[in-house]
């Protein structure tokens, strides 16, 4: 089945540690996105990528980094500069940047130890 | 931006039709209305979208008023699995990075 796979489901970060969240899609979509969701809140855009080797900052990019070396993969690194990383992280993709029908992964819950 | 307004929460009995309203009074002529839902601890799921005409798919129906200032998402026979947060979104310009997932409506389907 085609879809988006996020791993791990749960992740714990120690103080001062960088952690990387995985996002893989086999939908052959050009565009991919990362969102952050805090409890009881909506989604906020962290980064998005319209095509391989290109990505743009979203509304809350500080303390995060991404790469897009392959069409299928868009990993998100939560750096030690992100002082409040505890949140639910969601990855999504769309056929292209102009397509507003998004397909989401099942999310990664990141917590700080 | 075409801001949307939705009720914070709604309840519906299982087997009945769930009607979720959304106001978007500042919508412009070429802006679509999108609906997504998010079941607890999962990623959002696309439901339906429309421009002017009513739309129906296997999940739901979307009714858009003639002046396009409001719309209603209809789940014709709600089940317990339809309990979720429903987001009504009007992207200002074409581009998925402009989708704003606000607070949405928390729909609870009661047995």
């Amino acid at each position: 089945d085609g879809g988006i796979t996020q791993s791990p489901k749960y992740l714990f970060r120690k103080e001062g540690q960088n952690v990387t969240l995985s996002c893989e899609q086999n939908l052959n979509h050009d565009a991919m996105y990362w969102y952050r969701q805090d409890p009881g809140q909506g989604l906020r855009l962290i980064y998005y990528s319209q095509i391989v080797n290109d990505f743009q900052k979203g509304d809350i990019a500080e303390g995060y980094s991404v790469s897009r070396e392959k069409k299928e993969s868009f990993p998100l690194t939560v750096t030690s500069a992100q002082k409040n990383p505890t949140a639910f992280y969601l990855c999504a993709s769309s056929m292209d940047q102009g397509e507003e029908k998004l397909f989401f992964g099942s999310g990664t819950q990141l917590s700080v130890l | 931006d075409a801001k949307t307004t939705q009720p914070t929460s709604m309840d519906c009995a299982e087997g009945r039709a769930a009607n979720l309203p959304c106001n978007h009074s500042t919508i412009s002529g070429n802006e679509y209305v999108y609906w997504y839902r998010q079941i607890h601890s999962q990623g959002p799921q696309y439901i339906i979208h429309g421009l002017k005409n009513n739309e129906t798919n296997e999940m739901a129906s979307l009714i858009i008023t003639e002046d396009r200032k409001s719309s209603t998402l209809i789940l014709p026979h709600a089940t317990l699995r339809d309990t979720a947060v429903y987001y009504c979104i009007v992207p200002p310009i074409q581009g998925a990075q402009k989708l704003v997932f606000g607070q949405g409506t928390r729909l609870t389907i009661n047995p």
Side-chain angles (χ1 to χ4, degrees):
Chain A
D1 287 342
I4 298 183
T5 302
Q6 288 188 243
S7 62
K9 180 69 174 175
Y10 301 96
L11 186 59
F12 297 91
R13 192 191 91 166
K14 296 179 181 179
E15 293 288 340
Q17 185 183 41
N18 293 350
V19 293
T20 297
L21 284 61
S22 171
C23 178
E24 303 278 332
Q25 55 99 358
N26 61 3
L27 298 167
N28 199 33
H29 285 172
D30 283 325
M32 298 186 74
Y33 312 82
W34 274 106
Y35 291 88
R36 168 181 172 141
Q37 187 173 33
D38 292 285
Q41 303 298 311
L43 280 64
R44 291 185 289 170
L45 183 65
I46 305 173
Y47 268 99
Y48 65 98
S49 168
Q50 300 177 37
I51 200 167
V52 174
N53 293 322
D54 180 68
F55 49 83
Q56 308 293 329
K57 292 182 179 180
D59 300 319
I60 55 164
E62 186 173 350
Y64 300 96
S65 66
V66 293
S67 63
R68 187 85 187 278
E69 298 176 0
K70 298 187 299 181
K71 187 175 186 178
E72 304 79 20
S73 179
F74 191 39
L76 173 74
T77 296
V78 184
T79 75
S80 57
Q82 173 50 247
K83 298 306 179 187
N84 185 22
T86 296
F88 188 50
Y89 290 87
L90 288 156
C91 180
S93 71
S94 63
M95 192 175 300
D96 56 50
Q97 183 266 334
E99 172 59 59
E100 289 144 339
K101 182 177 178 181
L102 295 177
F103 292 79
F104 282 84
S106 56
T108 292
Q109 176 63 50
L110 175 63
S111 302
V112 176
L113 291 175
Chain B
D1 295 5
K3 180 180 178 180
T4 61
T5 304
Q6 300 178 253
T8 302
S9 63
M10 294 181 63
D11 285 87
C12 180
E14 187 178 18
R16 304 298 294 270
N19 297 283
L20 292 91
C22 180
N23 287 321
H24 31 77
S25 58
T26 59
I27 193 170
S28 67
N30 60 350
E31 291 175 340
Y32 282 77
V33 180
Y34 279 77
W35 284 84
Y36 284 78
R37 74 179 183 184
Q38 185 176 23
I39 296 170
H40 183 62
S41 297
Q42 297 183 23
Q45 176 189 24
Y46 164 84
I47 301 173
I48 199 167
H49 73 282
L51 181 64
K52 295 181 181 179
N53 300 319
N54 298 338
E55 302 286 346
T56 296
N57 63 20
E58 65 278 4
M59 291 184 68
S61 295
L62 175 60
I63 308 298
I64 302 174
T65 58
E66 192 169 341
D67 64 7
R68 304 212 323 120
K69 295 189 177 193
S70 66
S71 60
T72 301
L73 180 76
I74 301 172
L75 308 178
H77 304 287
T79 71
L80 298 179
R81 289 180 294 179
D82 291 322
T83 292
V85 175
Y86 286 77
Y87 299 99
C88 170
I89 303 170
V90 178
I93 60 173
Q94 192 179 39
Q97 76 275 16
K98 295 297 183 181
L99 290 171
V100 176
F101 291 81
Q103 301 267 60
T105 295
R106 183 171 299 277
L107 175 67
T108 302
I109 307 300
N110 300 307

